[in-house]
Amino acid sequence: MKSAKWLAALPVAAFFSGGWLSSVAPTFVLGMPFLMVWNVSWLVLTSLIMVVIDRAEGDIDAPSSSSSSSTGGAR
């Protein structure tokens, strides 16, 4: 699924929009500056998005099951 790779653009857009958004958002959220909360949140969300992309792509480098060795599993 090649469309999952477009999800990688979402964290980039989020990090760059944080500065603009901080001018209209409240100064503090949960006792921390808004921009700090925004960046830490997107740091975690970026990891989750990368997991989604990895799961959607599957294991590209894995050998296909049809190209098994004829040695019968001997090493």
Side-chain angles (χ1 to χ4, degrees):
M1 177 187 305
K2 294 182 186 232
S3 61
K5 289 183 181 179
W6 284 102
L7 285 174
L10 189 60
V12 175
F15 276 113
F16 283 116
S17 67
W20 170 79
L21 195 57
S22 67
S23 66
V24 296
T27 307
F28 288 95
V29 177
L30 300 173
M32 294 186 296
F34 172 78
L35 203 52
M36 182 181 208
V37 173
W38 180 261
N39 285 337
V40 170
S41 300
W42 275 102
L43 181 70
V44 173
L45 288 172
T46 299
S47 299
L48 295 175
I49 289 172
M50 292 301 135
V51 168
V52 168
I53 292 172
D54 183 54
R55 300 284 185 219
E57 290 293 317
D59 197 3
I60 296 172
D61 295 331
S64 62
S65 60
S66 64
S67 65
S68 61
S69 174
S70 63
T71 61
R75 293 183 186 185

